[in-house]
Amino acid sequence: MKKAKLTLALVAGLVGTIGLSSCNEVTYNEGVVLTYVDASGNRQNYTAKELLGEYEKGSGAASTSFDKVYELLIRNYYNGTKKDELNSINKEANNQVNGLKNQADENANSNGTTYQEEFEKILSSNGVDTESELFSLKQYEIEKERFEADFYYNNLETMRDGSVLETATAAEEAIWGKNDEGYLLSKMPYHVRHILVKVSAANGALTQGKITESEAKNLATVIKLLAGEGASETNPRQTFGAIAATYSEDGSNKIYGDLKIMDKDTSFVNEFKLGVFAYDALYNKTTTEYRTANKDRLLPTDTENTVLVGGVETPVKDVFTDGEEDDDGNRTGIGQIPYGAAIALLDAAEETGSKLAYKVNDGNEVFYPRNVLFNKYFNKHNVCVITPRDVDYNLRDGSSGTVAGTEVHDEKYNGVPSATYAALPGFQRDTTGIVELHTGENVLTNSEGQIVLAVRAGSSGSYEGVHFIVVDRSALDLYGSKLEDGKALTEVTTTAKEASGVYTENRANLSDYYNTYDPSNAKYPSYAIPDGLEKLTTFVNRWKQQSTEWKSRANEVVSAIKGYNSNMSSYIFEKLVLGEYGDGAKITFKDENVQKLVESYVKEKRVKTASDSENSWEETWKTYAEYLIHQEEIRKGNGKGTGELISETCAIGYLTADAQNETGVWAKGGACYGK
């Protein structure tokens, strides 16, 4: 009964919207507009007067026509079936009003004004004129909150997994518009963690950013810890979470770098969100049926949405498919950062030339070795992996400041193979089946076997820096992942869940990973162990093991599902009209013209919502593509080390006589001359 009445109140609001927008075209004659029969067979007729008669009247609780209809129906609901709840609602509303009156009294004392003046300000801020209207407003807000909470409580799981509806037929979609697919497929949620190392270099300084000594050391230290350099039996390798807790320079360090749910609508910077999507949908070579079927949901798909690449109109998606160009001129997709660049950065962090008799280039900071190395290897806004390779700075001759056989114009960006780095714990996982480099090398993984992504990102604020990212759960990973033979973290193609609902191992499917219960609830999923059952590891308890925090994590999932589709009521409405809601509830129109208007309105609204969302999605990818194209153009230089990106040669030779005497490459017009 509760569910059916809630459904009526939601969908009848749409009828009111149609009626209002078309009131000059349709005559209702004060007759029955629609009849609603609930799951228990109770019948209720709604007349035009009941639904639309309040439109011309003012209301302190609603400012739009839709809100007026919605308010009318919810108030009738609590004046009828739910009348027994009015006492508690009114008590709560009175408490809120009294609280605002006390606030007015306190404000008057603080501001040297009168109580009446301050209370009138509060009334005005709430859009009402009297205390009675204020009470009415608060009463309705509480009713609306309870009403919607009950509805979502009954429908959360089906909204998550595929909508509250059954799959619509082609004929139904032709009338009503595209069917809803549910939260998991519509929004493609990811669970990600990161370590943020802040840098003071400006976000737009793509080639000549400047970082501090401590920033350089932090950046290098995090990479070394992730790789497990120096780890031993007595000094175990640190986990990603432990490193995040110590080094991540944002609030996520308190929960091991956890950033909670990131989906297509999350307002993360493009480098972070789209970088993860590009990695998973384009550069991740894992092949499962679910991944193949759904990875394009993460990518730009409009081939007519193009950008200029070298003067050629190119589809936006191709910019990311091609990706970064390697030292041999091949398009390798994902970007690469040699591990040796971190070692070089740590070594160069303190060097400013302060010990020299003369300041190099008058002390121009962009020529400090740490800044040259940062800009060349780390100041990249395309998503990258870290490879077990060394860089020229580490191979230099300390006395001459040169690298044998290497000149300015043929320096490398991907580095050279290093057996020493390849032997580090962080490069022992077999990642060749996931990220395929033409060199056949593994890329850096954390101690849990997850590939570590790196990207320079920020928007001149608290998140300005280099982000190291791991994906705890991909939207494309239907059945979960596990370490195969202890060598590689791979996706599994079959579920570990039995028909009974109990799992055979601690590996949640995508739906249960985003379950809406906390582990103290009997409905929370479990997996079998020899002595009984254990609670499954999911988003809810993945990094928040304390029972006091489980509920807030579950509520984060609930909030994501509740807000994913602004047109949800239209899908419920469609099935009620068709009599396919599943519990016997049904709406019957008494006027065919009204029904057609409703159908037309719903379809138009769905089409517009989908179109607006798609256009915004394509434009976001285009903006990111244009940024990366610009980045590549100014990083290329002219092949002789005299472009905007300063040659590594300048870091290698910073302490040489040529640097002090302004000779060789440091002479006027040379690659390292910067006055």
Side-chain angles (χ1 to χ4, degrees):
M1 181 71 175
K2 175 179 68 175
K3 187 173 180 179
K5 290 294 287 184
L6 288 174
T7 300
L8 171 64
L10 277 175
V11 302
L14 284 176
V15 179
T17 304
I18 295 300
L20 181 69
S21 62
S22 309
C23 60
N24 294 326
E25 302 174 33
V26 179
T27 302
Y28 294 95
N29 298 322
E30 298 296 328
V32 174
V33 177
L34 60 82
T35 297
Y36 176 74
V37 179
D38 67 25
S40 301
N42 300 310
R43 178 183 298 271
Q44 186 168 356
N45 294 327
Y46 277 76
T47 67
K49 182 176 181 179
E50 288 175 306
L51 286 178
L52 308 175
E54 297 295 314
Y55 276 128
E56 300 306 320
K57 299 180 181 178
S59 170
S63 59
T64 67
S65 299
F66 176 81
D67 288 337
K68 290 175 183 176
V69 170
Y70 200 43
E71 178 186 355
L72 174 65
L73 293 169
I74 291 177
R75 286 193 183 281
N76 284 342
Y77 177 62
Y78 282 101
N79 282 322
T81 305
K82 287 286 185 177
K83 194 170 185 178
D84 57 327
E85 292 189 23
L86 270 180
N87 284 336
S88 65
I89 290 173
N90 290 343
K91 182 178 180 180
E92 187 175 344
N94 267 321
N95 288 338
Q96 291 187 18
V97 171
N98 288 334
L100 291 173
K101 291 167 72 174
N102 289 336
Q103 180 184 327
D105 195 38
E106 292 173 3
N107 291 346
N109 290 330
S110 300
N111 300 332
T113 55
T114 66
Y115 166 81
Q116 190 60 36
E117 287 175 319
E118 295 297 338
F119 189 57
E120 286 180 359
K121 290 179 184 177
I122 290 175
L123 292 176
S124 177
S125 67
N126 282 276
V128 296
D129 297 321
T130 66
E131 181 179 334
S132 175
E133 288 184 358
L134 181 62
F135 170 81
S136 179
L137 169 64
K138 297 305 176 184
Q139 180 192 52
Y140 173 62
E141 287 176 348
I142 297 164
E143 289 176 337
K144 183 172 179 286
E145 181 180 359
R146 291 191 183 188
F147 166 81
E148 292 180 343
D150 284 346
F151 167 73
Y152 287 118
Y153 176 80
N154 287 324
N155 294 285
L156 276 174
E157 292 184 6
T158 46
M159 290 171 67
R160 175 194 63 204
D161 297 337
S163 156
V164 291
L165 311 173
E166 301 169 6
T167 302
T169 66
E172 289 167 355
E173 286 200 355
I175 296 172
W176 298 94
K178 185 179 180 181
N179 189 34
D180 172 63
E181 296 178 295
Y183 173 69
L184 294 179
L185 284 177
S186 297
K187 299 305 177 185
M188 303 297 285
Y190 276 71
H191 186 193
V192 293
R193 287 180 291 153
H194 84 149
I195 299 168
L196 168 64
V197 179
K198 290 184 179 180
V199 296
S200 49
N203 189 53
L206 299 179
T207 58
Q208 297 189 9
K210 293 176 286 188
I211 64 175
T212 66
E213 176 186 328
S214 62
E215 290 167 353
K217 288 180 177 179
N218 287 342
L219 187 55
T221 299
V222 165
I223 295 173
K224 289 183 65 177
L225 290 172
L226 286 170
E229 185 170 336
S232 64
E233 289 187 8
T234 57
N235 181 33
R237 183 183 177 192
Q238 292 189 42
T239 65
F240 188 94
I243 300 169
T246 303
Y247 287 95
S248 192
E249 299 180 83
D250 71 326
S252 72
N253 57 15
K254 296 180 178 63
I255 45 177
Y256 313 108
D258 183 41
L259 291 177
K260 305 177 183 178
I261 298 174
M262 177 186 79
D263 61 31
K264 292 175 68 174
D265 288 345
T266 305
S267 58
F268 285 0
V269 291
N270 288 344
E271 294 95 329
F272 195 109
K273 183 171 72 174
L274 300 187
V276 170
F277 291 169
Y279 156 73
D280 210 24
L282 291 173
Y283 314 135
N284 187 336
K285 302 304 178 183
T286 303
T287 55
T288 65
E289 184 177 343
Y290 189 81
R291 174 177 287 274
T292 300
N294 294 297
K295 62 183 181 180
D296 280 348
R297 294 174 182 272
L298 296 167
L299 300 169
T301 56
D302 184 0
T303 56
E304 295 182 4
N305 188 15
T306 61
V307 289
L308 282 176
V309 180
V312 179
E313 291 285 353
T314 304
V316 170
K317 181 180 176 180
D318 290 356
V319 173
F320 297 94
T321 303
D322 294 342
E324 186 174 272
E325 183 177 322
D326 68 12
D327 292 337
D328 299 320
N330 301 310
R331 288 289 174 179
T332 60
I334 198 164
Q336 300 178 45
I337 299 174
Y339 179 78
I343 305 304
L345 192 63
L346 189 61
D347 182 55
E350 299 178 10
E351 188 53 67
T352 64
S354 57
K355 298 177 183 179
L356 299 176
Y358 302 97
K359 290 184 177 181
V360 177
N361 283 332
D362 289 338
N364 189 337
E365 290 185 24
V366 297
F367 285 89
Y368 288 177
R370 65 170 179 258
N371 290 325
V372 172
L373 294 167
F374 168 74
N375 287 307
K376 180 176 180 180
Y377 294 110
F378 300 98
N379 196 12
K380 301 196 296 185
H381 293 251
N382 53 309
V383 67
C384 300
V385 288
I386 299 172
T387 61
R389 300 191 138 229
D390 211 346
V391 300
D392 286 349
Y393 187 88
N394 298 327
L395 305 174
R396 69 195 186 281
D397 183 320
S399 61
S400 63
T402 61
V403 178
T406 300
E407 298 177 14
V408 172
H409 61 274
D410 61 9
E411 61 183 324
K412 303 296 184 182
Y413 291 82
N414 299 138
V416 296
S418 168
T420 300
Y421 299 153
L424 292 172
F427 296 104
Q428 298 311 298
R429 302 290 187 193
D430 182 2
T431 62
T432 56
I434 303 173
V435 174
E436 185 180 358
L437 303 178
H438 76 281
T439 58
E441 295 167 310
N442 292 332
V443 301
L444 181 65
T445 61
N446 64 7
S447 60
E448 297 101 312
Q450 298 167 310
I451 287 176
V452 178
L453 305 175
V455 68
R456 165 81 163 98
S459 53
S460 60
S462 59
Y463 291 91
E464 188 79 58
V466 177
H467 298 254
F468 299 95
I469 310 165
V470 292
V471 177
D472 274 348
R473 190 54 183 263
S474 162
L476 300 175
D477 189 355
L478 181 59
Y479 295 121
S481 302
K482 62 182 180 180
L483 282 171
E484 297 288 357
D485 300 323
K487 293 182 179 179
L489 191 70
T490 58
E491 287 183 28
V492 184
T493 58
T494 56
T495 183
K497 189 176 185 179
E498 296 182 327
S500 63
V502 176
Y503 282 81
T504 57
E505 57 183 287
N506 190 13
R507 178 167 54 84
N509 64 32
L510 195 58
S511 179
D512 281 332
Y513 191 80
Y514 293 109
N515 84 96
T516 57
Y517 304 103
D518 71 72
S520 65
N521 191 301
K523 294 183 178 181
Y524 188 89
S526 300
Y527 69 99
I529 59 173
D531 298 329
L533 297 175
E534 287 282 356
K535 298 299 183 181
L536 199 65
T537 299
T538 72
F539 171 83
V540 175
N541 64 354
R542 180 74 169 88
W543 299 112
K544 283 282 191 179
Q545 300 300 328
Q546 297 87 347
S547 60
T548 55
E549 297 166 327
W550 288 339
K551 188 171 182 61
S552 66
R553 297 281 287 187
N555 285 339
E556 288 164 14
V557 180
V558 170
S559 295
I561 297 171
K562 284 170 61 175
Y564 87 95
N565 190 332
S566 61
N567 291 328
M568 180 55 63
S569 57
S570 76
Y571 294 99
I572 306 168
F573 181 72
E574 174 189 346
K575 290 303 181 184
L576 281 167
V577 172
L578 297 172
E580 298 175 358
Y581 188 64
D583 62 2
K586 183 176 174 60
I587 283 178
T588 303
F589 283 96
K590 300 301 183 181
D591 187 319
E592 184 179 353
N593 290 327
V594 174
Q595 179 171 352
K596 288 181 178 179
L597 281 170
V598 172
E599 293 169 350
S600 176
Y601 173 79
V602 168
K603 182 176 182 179
E604 181 180 344
K605 189 175 182 183
R606 290 185 192 174
V607 168
K608 185 179 187 306
T609 300
S611 177
D612 290 347
S613 176
E614 181 179 352
N615 289 340
S616 175
W617 184 241
E618 294 287 340
E619 188 60 32
T620 299
W621 275 102
K622 183 174 182 177
T623 299
Y624 186 30
E626 290 173 337
Y627 195 94
L628 296 186
I629 292 167
H630 173 63
Q631 170 184 278
E632 182 172 273
E633 288 175 348
I634 66 173
R635 283 175 61 87
K636 278 183 176 179
N638 57 10
K640 298 181 180 179
T642 55
E644 289 192 27
L645 186 65
I646 297 172
S647 169
E648 189 172 353
T649 301
C650 304
I652 293 170
Y654 193 76
L655 299 180
T656 62
D658 278 344
Q660 292 194 69
N661 298 328
E662 299 180 4
T663 56
V665 294
W666 299 87
K668 187 173 183 178
C672 301
Y673 182 81
K675 292 184 179 179

